[in-house]
Amino acid sequence: MEMKNNRWIQAWIMKRGFILWLTMAFLLGRATILDDLYPFALAFFAVAYYSRKAWLGWLTVALFAGSLFSPTIHTGYILTEILVFLLLQKGLEKFERADVSYVPFLSFAAVFFVQLFSYSVSVGLSWFTLMMTTVESILSLILTIIFMQAISVITLSRKKQGLKNEEIVCLIILLTSVMTGTVGWLVGSMSVEHILSRYLILLFALVGGAPLGASVGVISGLILSLADVHAIVEISLLAFAGMLAGLMKEGGKMAVSLGMLLGASILSIYIGDQKTVMASSLESASAIIVFLLTPRALLQALAKYIPGTQENMKSQYEYARRVRDITASKVEQFSEVFRMLSSSFRQMTIRNETAKREIEDGHFMNTVANKTCMNCWKRNECWDVKFQQTYSFMTEMIVALENERRLEKRDIPAHWKKLCIKTDQVLMEMKKQYELYKKDVHWKKQVLESRQLVADQLTGVSQVMEDLAKEIKREGQEMVLQEEQIRDALEQLGLSILGIDVINLEVGKVEVEIIHQYMKGFDECRKIIAPLLSDILGENIVVTREQFLQKGESFYTVTFGSMKQFNVETGVAGAAKGGDLLSGDSFSIVELGHGKCAVALSDGMGNGERANIESSTALNVLQQLLQSGMDERLAIKSVNSVLMLRSADEMFATVDMAIIDLYSASTTFMKIGSTPSFIKRGAEVIQVTVNNLPVGIMDEIEVDLVRVQLLPGDILIMMTDGIYDAPGYAINKELWMKRMIQEIHVESPQEMADCLLERIVRHLQGDILDDMTVIVAKIERHHPEWAALRWPTLSHIERPKTVS
């Protein structure tokens, strides 16, 4: 309903814009300053020339009509100034230099030359007449600039949702200049310009509060006093009335009206007699009646353009929400495009391999036959009369070659020789063609692998973009109410917050950004704000990030988020083969986002730099894919494809990764060709094993994931084969490693890693036969540093529904 009313107001202004422009033209044509200066008319005409050229004739007539009804008729001056302006404008157009930026200077020149000529003809030139000419010309220039800014606002021809302070002032000057055209009009004993000025103050005071109300009062009083020197007292009266009315903004229309009436009456009593007080009170009462009859939709339409108002903030929020919705829709469309492309590549890859092989074999036979049988005198007998025998003979030779048999002349069976008189030539040609065939198959296989990799990558990109669209939609939820609740709660504690932005309020995924000025020697964010948010949100909240915002003022953007329920403390120990400096093993401990931590270990094939490159590549690619939001299985397959395609040599790497959810301690193990991991839980040692091939060997790999629920105090031990295979093949390595771990009684993960590596090296008597790396991670429950702060008057915040 509210939006309907706003659209109705805008539609009304658009449809009746012609009448509005004629009214402004008439009043500005009548307006004067000190009865001797009239810069308003030409300034308005100059703006209309560029913005409403179709109505220019009617607007000119309205200006002339207004000047005829002015206390001092100045139609001749306005007509002459308009003609000079048009001549100058046409001159610029002839030389193709016409531009809206020249309009203020054309106004200045037209007024200056006309007034200078007028004074020189009538009273002669003097310093006074020259000064008055210059003043009026400068006023015309300034008013032209002001009208250019304000006209587009008052006619709602601009789409900008908020106005700058300078634009608001220009709008007020335009409205007050229009009111100047009513000077001298009376309704009984009441002055029309005084009624309109008070009405204007009431409008802006209700919309913008005391600062805007006082500004309107000062500007209105100043311009009206220039039109009528007896109205000089109106400056202070209207300014005080505007300020008092604005202070009563929260009380609505009646309170604002009362504030304006009190402000105007108090100063009227102080500076005037009884008659003046009665006239001022009647003018204020008339303005209040018109103000109370003003439609609410008009006030809301005006408030939408005033910065800081609820309507303006709501308008900006709706605009941002529309942008987010459009962005999310576009991202979803791109996600669907990538999904369709992936399906297309998979359809090209998944074909009937049997039928394809038969076609390739037939083509292979035809090539050999064309090379050897084309000029043979038994061709018709072999391929027409005895086709089945010949075909079987050729097929057997192909099978023998595929089984990597080194066929020689002596290996040819006797029944082959009886059937074919060119057995040697057929065999040689078949070997030659078979080598070409194998190369062709190899490259086709590479193309298929590349297509499969592209399909997997497109699927992953589609998934990531789909998740991004959901994230955009989630951030687009309206959380203005929650932001105000948090702001009110902090203000009740006496904390001044510059800005607040609620990004997410899902349980376990809370993210709130607050712009706050730090106090020296205190840390309100951790000690007060975070505990207070913990109470009103119903879960533990902590400071997750601090970012310096503004120099000199100590402003920081502080991000608050859900406290992780568990901490992971890690320790790493390792040794290179033969005591070298560079190991072929790589490890990584990284935050994946969304409350997940990854502990990863990779062992490259062999030792030294090449193995280190392969293992670190596998970990880095896998880490980036997981951080982008890609599914674990798809990420592993992508890493496998990358390692397969990056080198023609046989290079592979094992991947051992544990993804720990820091909110629940649920752990997902991905083991690709790696050794078992162990969980030490008190005196018990639990083995975690998954049978998967290393990445970089097979084109297609199956990825099995194992999920284990860890408990507080559990110690996770991950190792490469250099440690796991240390006891040799004659010993049960699982039992031996379990006993070794049980015998180590230390609490620190780093000490556990050092002790285990030291015992392995001692067991091998210092002979390091392979790269050795061990990672130890200990799971501990996280305890908040500060307890939740309970404030009696605060209630829990209602969380928005999650976007599915």
Side-chain angles (χ1 to χ4, degrees):
M1 188 68 181
E2 181 180 311
M3 186 172 291
K4 244 181 170 181
N5 291 333
N6 288 340
R7 289 177 179 172
W8 179 82
I9 291 293
Q10 293 181 6
W12 187 90
I13 292 177
M14 292 297 181
K15 290 179 181 179
R16 293 159 180 78
F18 179 68
I19 300 175
L20 180 63
W21 278 78
L22 285 180
T23 304
M24 289 194 296
F26 178 81
L27 294 176
L28 289 173
R30 188 176 183 276
T32 61
I33 295 178
L34 302 177
D35 293 333
D36 288 325
L37 305 177
Y38 16 88
F40 302 100
L42 183 62
F44 183 78
F45 178 86
V47 175
Y49 183 86
Y50 273 89
S51 56
R52 290 294 185 274
K53 203 167 186 178
W55 300 345
L56 197 59
W58 289 102
L59 296 178
T60 306
V61 172
L63 287 171
F64 291 161
S67 63
L68 291 173
F69 287 93
S70 176
T72 56
I73 299 176
H74 48 273
T75 308
Y77 290 106
I78 294 178
L79 177 60
T80 309
E81 289 172 354
I82 290 176
L83 290 175
V84 173
F85 174 86
L86 290 175
L87 288 173
L88 295 174
Q89 176 66 27
K90 294 301 180 182
L92 289 177
E93 291 176 359
K94 185 176 180 180
F95 290 99
E96 298 182 354
R97 299 297 298 272
D99 189 79
V100 70
S101 59
Y102 294 116
V103 173
F105 301 103
L106 294 180
S107 300
F108 175 88
V111 173
F112 184 82
F113 291 134
V114 170
Q115 293 298 328
L116 189 65
F117 178 78
S118 173
Y119 281 125
S120 63
V121 171
S122 58
V123 296
L125 292 177
S126 64
W127 286 109
F128 177 76
T129 56
L130 185 61
M131 181 187 70
M132 293 297 291
T133 301
T134 306
V135 168
E136 185 172 357
S137 303
I138 293 175
L139 284 175
S140 181
L141 181 145
I142 295 173
L143 287 172
T144 303
I145 296 173
I146 291 173
F147 289 175
M148 289 170 63
Q149 294 287 328
I151 284 291
S152 59
V153 177
I154 200 171
T155 56
L156 301 179
S157 61
R158 59 185 297 156
K159 301 299 182 183
K160 189 176 178 181
Q161 296 298 320
L163 300 177
K164 299 178 182 178
N165 292 329
E166 296 81 2
E167 293 172 328
I168 296 175
V169 172
C170 290
L171 175 61
I172 296 171
I173 293 175
L174 172 62
L175 295 175
T176 311
S177 300
V178 172
M179 285 192 306
T180 306
T182 64
V183 171
W185 290 359
L186 297 175
V187 179
S189 61
M190 297 180 295
S191 176
V192 174
E193 72 268 19
H194 291 169
I195 296 175
L196 292 178
S197 62
R198 284 162 172 77
Y199 175 71
L200 194 63
I201 287 173
L202 289 170
L203 283 179
F204 282 93
L206 180 62
V207 169
L212 195 54
S215 301
V216 173
V218 170
I219 296 172
S220 302
L222 178 63
I223 295 180
L224 290 177
S225 64
L226 291 176
D228 182 7
V229 292
H230 301 293
I232 191 69
V233 296
E234 291 292 319
I235 298 177
S236 56
L237 187 146
L238 295 178
F240 183 69
M243 182 189 69
L244 202 57
L247 292 174
M248 308 290 284
K249 170 189 173 183
E250 299 299 329
K253 280 187 175 182
M254 293 301 298
V256 170
S257 301
L258 179 61
M260 194 278 295
L261 182 62
L262 288 175
S265 301
I266 291 172
L267 284 187
S268 296
I269 295 172
Y270 180 74
I271 61 178
D273 53 16
Q274 183 177 357
K275 184 179 178 181
T276 305
V277 172
M278 286 302 298
S280 178
S281 300
L282 288 174
E283 292 165 351
S284 299
S286 302
I288 290 172
I289 293 173
V290 178
F291 174 66
L292 294 176
L293 295 176
T294 301
R296 182 177 179 82
L298 178 61
L299 296 172
Q300 291 174 344
L302 178 62
K304 189 170 66 173
Y305 292 93
I306 305 301
T309 61
Q310 291 293 333
E311 290 79 2
N312 178 255
M313 294 172 61
K314 186 176 180 181
S315 176
Q316 290 180 346
Y317 174 78
E318 289 176 352
Y319 174 76
R321 185 177 61 183
R322 287 196 299 271
V323 171
R324 279 194 292 260
D325 290 342
I326 293 172
T327 305
S329 175
K330 291 295 183 183
V331 172
E332 286 179 339
Q333 290 178 11
F334 281 119
S335 174
E336 188 62 28
V337 168
F338 282 115
R339 185 176 289 108
M340 292 176 63
L341 289 173
S342 175
S343 300
S344 176
F345 273 97
R346 290 188 191 280
Q347 290 172 2
M348 294 171 62
T349 304
I350 303 173
R351 292 178 177 178
N352 191 334
E353 294 295 333
T354 303
K356 184 179 176 183
R357 176 59 189 272
E358 289 178 357
I359 294 173
E360 290 177 348
D361 288 349
H363 178 71
F364 177 69
M365 286 187 186
N366 289 334
T367 303
V368 175
N370 290 333
K371 294 282 187 180
T372 58
C373 302
M374 185 62 66
N375 299 321
C376 180
W377 62 273
K378 292 186 68 177
R379 179 177 181 276
N380 292 332
E381 180 183 352
C382 293
W383 289 102
D384 293 339
V385 180
K386 299 179 180 179
F387 173 80
Q388 194 63 37
Q389 290 181 345
T390 305
Y391 187 82
S392 299
F393 161 63
M394 300 286 281
T395 304
E396 289 176 7
M397 293 186 72
I398 293 174
V399 172
L401 289 172
E402 286 183 341
N403 292 333
E404 298 183 356
R405 288 174 50 187
R406 297 175 57 86
L407 288 178
E408 302 295 341
K409 183 177 180 180
R410 62 177 179 272
D411 298 326
I412 300 176
H415 67 278
W416 288 6
K417 293 179 180 180
K418 290 180 181 180
L419 183 65
C420 179
I421 62 173
K422 293 185 177 182
T423 309
D424 298 342
Q425 296 177 4
V426 171
L427 180 60
M428 291 177 59
E429 186 64 31
M430 188 167 284
K431 286 182 178 180
K432 178 181 176 182
Q433 293 298 327
Y434 184 71
E435 290 299 323
L436 296 175
Y437 169 75
K438 283 201 304 184
K439 293 180 180 179
D440 183 55
V441 169
H442 171 75
W443 288 114
K444 287 182 178 179
K445 183 181 177 183
Q446 290 289 93
V447 170
L448 290 177
E449 290 174 359
S450 301
R451 286 176 180 170
Q452 185 63 36
L453 173 60
V454 172
D456 291 340
Q457 294 297 320
L458 289 174
T459 300
V461 171
S462 174
Q463 177 191 341
V464 172
M465 297 187 76
E466 184 178 352
D467 294 340
L468 176 61
K470 291 179 180 179
E471 186 75 11
I472 293 173
K473 287 184 177 180
R474 179 185 59 77
E475 291 184 2
Q477 298 181 84
E478 185 172 359
M479 297 189 185
V480 177
L481 178 61
Q482 288 82 356
E483 291 175 0
E484 289 301 319
Q485 286 179 314
I486 295 175
R487 183 186 294 275
D488 292 342
L490 296 176
E491 287 180 352
Q492 287 185 30
L493 294 179
L495 297 175
S496 178
I497 302 301
L498 183 62
I500 181 170
D501 185 17
V502 176
I503 300 173
N504 192 4
L505 286 181
E506 293 181 35
V507 177
K509 299 179 181 179
V510 171
E511 187 173 358
V512 179
E513 288 186 353
I514 293 179
I515 301 177
H516 176 54
Q517 186 176 17
Y518 275 47
M519 299 296 291
K520 293 183 179 180
F522 299 95
D523 190 357
E524 299 93 340
C525 294
R526 287 180 174 80
K527 298 177 182 178
I528 299 178
I529 299 178
L532 182 66
L533 292 176
S534 300
D535 178 67
I536 60 180
L537 291 174
E539 65 173 291
N540 289 322
I541 305 297
V542 295
V543 175
T544 59
R545 186 172 65 251
E546 298 171 345
Q547 184 178 0
F548 187 65
L549 183 64
Q550 184 176 344
K551 295 182 179 180
E553 298 292 338
S554 300
F555 282 107
Y556 284 80
T557 298
V558 185
T559 304
F560 296 85
S562 299
M563 185 191 75
K564 300 177 179 64
Q565 300 300 316
F566 296 90
N567 288 333
V568 178
E569 184 182 356
T570 59
V572 182
K577 179 181 178 180
D580 290 341
L581 295 177
L582 186 61
S583 170
D585 300 340
S586 298
F587 67 90
S588 176
I589 302 166
V590 64
E591 291 277 350
L592 298 180
H594 303 292
K596 291 185 178 180
C597 175
V599 181
L601 188 60
S602 179
D603 183 4
M605 186 185 76
N607 310 97
E609 182 179 2
R610 183 69 184 275
N612 181 267
I613 291 174
E614 294 300 320
S615 61
S616 60
T617 298
L619 283 189
N620 290 336
V621 174
L622 182 59
Q623 172 185 324
Q624 293 295 328
L625 293 176
L626 291 174
Q627 285 182 329
S628 69
M630 187 174 288
D631 178 74
E632 291 92 347
R633 287 185 173 87
L634 185 56
I636 286 293
K637 290 184 178 180
S638 299
V639 172
N640 178 69
S641 300
V642 169
L643 293 181
M644 283 288 296
L645 296 176
R646 63 182 268 124
S647 175
D649 301 332
E650 182 182 352
M651 292 297 294
F652 62 85
T654 67
V655 175
D656 191 1
M657 177 175 285
I659 301 177
I660 306 171
D661 191 328
L662 299 178
Y663 294 109
S664 62
S666 176
T667 304
T668 301
F669 288 91
M670 290 191 299
K671 291 186 164 293
I672 313 299
S674 60
T675 59
S677 298
F678 298 90
I679 300 172
K680 185 177 182 183
R681 183 174 293 167
E684 181 185 9
V685 177
I686 304 170
Q687 180 177 323
V688 180
T689 306
V690 181
N691 295 320
N692 290 320
L693 289 175
V695 291
I697 295 181
M698 303 292 293
D699 301 337
E700 288 290 331
I701 61 172
E702 294 297 327
V703 181
D704 294 328
L705 305 180
V706 174
R707 288 179 171 83
V708 178
Q709 180 62 51
L710 298 182
L711 301 177
D714 284 355
I715 299 177
L716 172 63
I717 301 102
M718 302 166 62
M719 63 191 69
T720 57
D721 56 356
I723 290 181
Y724 184 73
D725 295 335
Y729 298 100
I731 301 176
N732 188 321
K733 291 179 283 188
E734 291 84 358
L735 294 177
W736 187 86
M737 188 59 65
K738 285 184 178 181
R739 186 175 69 251
M740 183 73 69
I741 293 173
Q742 286 175 335
E743 293 174 354
I744 300 176
H745 302 288
V746 294
E747 294 296 327
S748 169
Q750 187 59 54
E751 292 180 3
M752 167 74 81
D754 293 337
C755 288
L756 182 58
L757 180 64
E758 181 184 0
R759 292 195 177 199
I760 296 298
V761 174
R762 287 181 181 275
H763 176 79
L764 297 173
Q765 297 179 352
D767 188 11
I768 303 176
L769 303 177
D770 194 4
D771 295 326
M772 299 181 179
T773 305
V774 57
I775 299 180
V776 179
K778 186 174 183 181
I779 311 299
E780 293 287 359
R781 188 173 294 279
H782 181 80
H783 298 285
E785 186 179 2
W786 299 91
L789 177 62
R790 180 61 181 159
W791 197 255
T793 59
L794 299 181
S795 58
H796 289 287
I797 287 181
E798 180 182 355
R799 305 199 188 200
K801 295 180 180 179
T802 305
V803 176
S804 58

